[in-house]
């Protein structure tokens, strides 16, 4: 929401200066510096226009800005927390300029790149209470009216220079339609790593000020390779400073229902809390390569990328009447996990597994370079054949299985993990 207000302030400043140009006529160089000064005064962010600024008057007023950079002036490093845009185009009705409330019929944003720094530690001073409340009602009242927004070939770059981490979400294309009844529809697509995704969002915005009011939201998400069926859901979203609360989540993945709640504190390093209950959850197992393993190399050398665990903290509870991970099937399932400082701790209790039960703990530590793993498990009355078949494609043994497992390992790929495995198995 802060980004939306900043964008609105930028556009409003541009339109106001253009209106002034039409009345008294000011050289374009002076216009650019005036726009920059007004944006920084109203938003606290520094606007730099590196390219040309053009104005057209037919068939409607059109303003084009090239090579735009929006950045927090408090950042010491010029690469931190900034938004770069190749081109911004706005079509504005002339009559709205004279009324003092700009009406933008079309806003095109071409090749925007949001640079988001990844933090290893949370900043205790970056809290909602530490920031003065902005006059949201006045800002919303002065914001321009926008009918249609298009985003073309955008990207979000997540980086940490110290850890040499650089991940991207590429190919972001979005079409945003904003109705006069405050209904917003967003449809688009993107690529997250090697996974394509499509999304559609519908929301009904309340009357300003928006803060601390429920915003009804509907979401449809299709992400092949991660979810075996498209997901759709609805929830009530509430914004309170840097905290986003998502209550009353309900929806389906394929034909299977789920419900729960979530929240996120994005003041510094994100803190995510999630509690979801599924009727049935199908998760595609990641194999690294599509080809089957060769007898001479039963475990893959494909790297397992877990470095992202360093840059988010989380408290997660997931339960399901039935959980399918690749070929493995469990019913019921309850997982309680915490993630802090690059250490993931997951607990499974009374997991239904092939006619028996499983309990255990898994600790994954990626905070100090090469990932380390600690697994403790207790299996009682589990049928061996379907478990070993689904987990390791081993079909030479059947019977009731009782086992106690306490093992440790390290490694960045499945083969290294199995080579370094040590501990006890009963």
């Amino acid at each position: 929401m802060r980004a939306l207000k900043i964008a609105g302030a930028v556009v409003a400043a541009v339109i106001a200066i253009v209106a002034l140009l039409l009345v008294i006529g000011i050289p374009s160089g002076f216009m650019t510096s005036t726009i920059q000064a007004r944006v920084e005064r109203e938003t606290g962010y520094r606007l730099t226009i590196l390219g040309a600024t053009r104005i057209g008057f037919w068939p409607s007023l059109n303003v084009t800005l090239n090579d735009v950079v929006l950045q927090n002036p408090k950042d010491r490093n010029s690469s931190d927390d900034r938004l770069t845009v190749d081109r911004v185009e706005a079509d504005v009705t002339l009559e709205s300029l004279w009324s003092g409330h700009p009406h933008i019929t079309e806003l095109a944003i071409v090749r925007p790149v949001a640079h988001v720094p990844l933090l290893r530690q949370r900043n205790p001073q970056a809290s909602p209470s530490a920031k003065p409340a902005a006059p949201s009602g006045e800002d919303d009242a002065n914001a321009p009216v926008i009918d249609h927004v298009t985003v073309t070939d955008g990207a979000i770059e997540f980086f940490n220079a110290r850890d040499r981490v650089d991940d991207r979400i590429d190919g972001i294309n979005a079409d945003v339609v904003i109705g006069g009844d405050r209904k917003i529809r967003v449809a688009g697509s993107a690529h997250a790593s090697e996974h394509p995704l499509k999304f559609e969002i519908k929301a009904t915005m309340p009357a300003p000020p928006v803060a601390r009011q429920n915003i009804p939201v509907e979401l449809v998400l299709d992400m092949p390779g991660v979810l075996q069926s498209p997901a759709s859901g609805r929830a009530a979203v509430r914004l309170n400073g840097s905290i986003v609360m998502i209550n009353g989540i309900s929806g389906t993945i394929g034909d299977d229902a789920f419900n729960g709640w979530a929240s996120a504190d994005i003041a510094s390093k994100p803190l995510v809390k999630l509690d979801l209950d599924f009727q049935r959850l199908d998760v595609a197992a990641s194999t690294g390569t599509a080809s089957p393993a060769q007898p001479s190399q039963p475990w893959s050398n494909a790297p397992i990328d877990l470095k992202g665990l360093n840059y988010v903290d989380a408290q997660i509870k997931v339960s399901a009447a039935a959980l399918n991970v690749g070929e493995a099937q469990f019913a019921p399932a309850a997982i309680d996990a915490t993630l802090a400082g690059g250490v993931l701790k997951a607990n499974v209790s009374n997991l239904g597994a092939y006619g028996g039960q499983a309990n255990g703990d898994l600790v994954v530590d990626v905070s100090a370079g090469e990932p380390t793993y600690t697994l403790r498990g207790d299996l009682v009355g589990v049928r061996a054949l379907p478990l070993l078949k689904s987990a390791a494609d081993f079909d030479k043994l059947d019977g009731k299985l009782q086992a106690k497992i306490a093992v440790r390992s390290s490694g960045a790929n499945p083969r290294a993990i199995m080579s370094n495995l040590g501990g006890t198995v009963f």
Side-chain angles (χ1 to χ4, degrees):
M1 185 55 63
R2 183 181 67 175
L4 188 60
K5 286 185 178 181
I6 291 173
V10 171
V11 174
V14 172
I15 300 305
I17 301 303
V18 170
L20 185 62
L21 259 180
L22 294 176
V23 176
I24 63 175
I26 299 178
S28 60
F30 181 77
M31 179 192 72
T32 299
S33 62
T34 306
I35 291 173
Q36 293 169 335
R38 178 161 179 169
V39 168
E40 185 163 355
R41 183 176 68 251
E42 295 188 1
T43 69
Y45 278 72
R46 181 173 62 245
L47 176 69
T48 304
I49 304 173
L50 301 175
T53 300
R54 289 191 291 269
I55 301 174
F57 298 97
W58 185 261
S60 63
L61 176 63
N62 176 273
V63 181
T64 301
L65 306 177
N66 291 281
D67 294 333
V68 177
V69 179
L70 190 65
Q71 184 179 7
N72 188 340
K74 296 180 181 180
D75 289 335
R76 297 179 180 178
N77 192 328
S78 62
S79 65
D80 288 350
D81 192 15
R82 75 187 193 279
L83 174 68
T84 61
V85 185
D86 276 12
R87 187 171 73 255
V88 179
E89 295 182 14
D91 289 337
V92 189
T93 60
L94 287 171
E95 57 270 20
S96 69
L97 292 179
W98 317 130
S99 67
H101 298 283
H103 182 184
I104 301 172
T105 56
E106 294 284 340
L107 179 62
I109 304 173
V110 180
R111 286 185 290 278
V113 180
H115 303 263
V116 181
L118 297 174
L119 305 177
R120 275 184 172 265
Q121 302 293 331
R122 288 183 56 78
N123 181 3
Q125 297 180 350
S127 62
S129 59
K131 298 179 180 180
S136 301
E138 182 180 351
D139 290 347
D140 291 335
N142 295 330
V145 176
I146 304 176
D147 294 339
H148 186 211
V149 181
T150 58
V151 178
T152 304
D153 196 20
I156 302 176
E157 181 185 54
F158 303 95
F159 68 94
N160 184 298
R162 180 179 179 181
D163 296 343
R164 298 181 180 179
V165 173
D166 189 352
D167 290 331
R168 293 170 64 93
I169 299 176
D170 287 303
I172 301 176
N173 296 285
D175 187 90
V176 184
V177 178
I178 306 171
D181 53 0
R182 299 195 184 95
K183 292 186 180 296
I184 300 176
R185 178 185 176 275
V186 183
S189 60
H191 276 82
S193 298
E194 72 275 13
H195 302 294
L197 64 90
K198 295 182 179 179
F199 57 88
E200 181 177 356
I201 304 172
K202 296 180 181 178
T204 302
M205 302 299 294
V210 174
R212 296 185 177 88
Q213 293 197 64
N214 285 335
I215 305 172
V217 176
E218 298 180 15
L219 169 67
V220 177
L221 178 64
D222 187 8
M223 197 170 183
V226 176
L227 297 175
Q228 295 187 359
S229 302
S232 62
R234 60 182 60 195
V237 178
R238 178 177 294 189
L239 308 175
N240 184 9
S242 64
I243 299 177
V244 182
M245 294 171 286
I246 309 174
N247 298 315
I249 298 175
S250 63
T252 58
I253 299 179
D255 297 327
D256 303 309
F258 65 89
N259 58 77
W261 62 271
S263 70
D265 185 349
I266 55 176
S268 58
K269 180 182 181 181
L271 171 60
V272 178
K273 298 180 181 180
L274 180 66
D275 191 331
L276 291 178
D277 179 62
F278 294 85
Q279 181 181 2
R280 185 181 69 185
L281 178 60
D282 295 325
V283 180
S286 177
T287 59
T289 58
S291 59
Q294 300 297 324
S296 60
Q297 185 179 308
W299 298 100
S300 172
N301 284 317
I304 302 174
D305 187 2
L306 299 175
K307 59 181 178 291
L309 297 179
N310 284 300
Y311 310 112
V312 62
D313 292 342
Q315 301 171 15
I316 299 174
K317 292 183 178 180
V318 175
S319 57
L323 171 64
N324 301 323
V325 182
E327 298 295 326
Q329 301 177 358
F330 308 97
I335 302 172
D336 194 341
T338 60
L339 174 60
V343 180
L344 173 65
K345 298 179 180 179
N347 173 264
V348 176
S349 58
N350 299 323
L351 177 70
Y354 301 103
Q357 280 192 342
N359 297 277
D361 300 286
L362 172 66
V363 178
V364 180
D365 187 347
V366 299
S367 62
E370 186 175 63
T372 62
Y373 312 86
T374 304
L375 173 65
R376 180 200 62 81
D378 191 355
L379 308 179
V380 179
V382 178
R383 275 200 62 199
L385 180 61
L387 174 64
L388 296 175
K389 175 67 176 177
S390 62
D393 198 24
F394 182 77
D395 58 0
K396 306 301 183 184
L397 180 66
D398 196 5
K400 289 289 185 179
L401 173 67
Q402 179 175 337
K404 291 184 182 294
I405 304 170
V407 294
R408 290 180 56 87
S409 188
S410 62
N413 58 69
R415 190 177 189 186
I417 294 171
M418 296 308 299
S419 299
N420 298 327
L421 191 64
T424 60
V425 177
F426 166 76

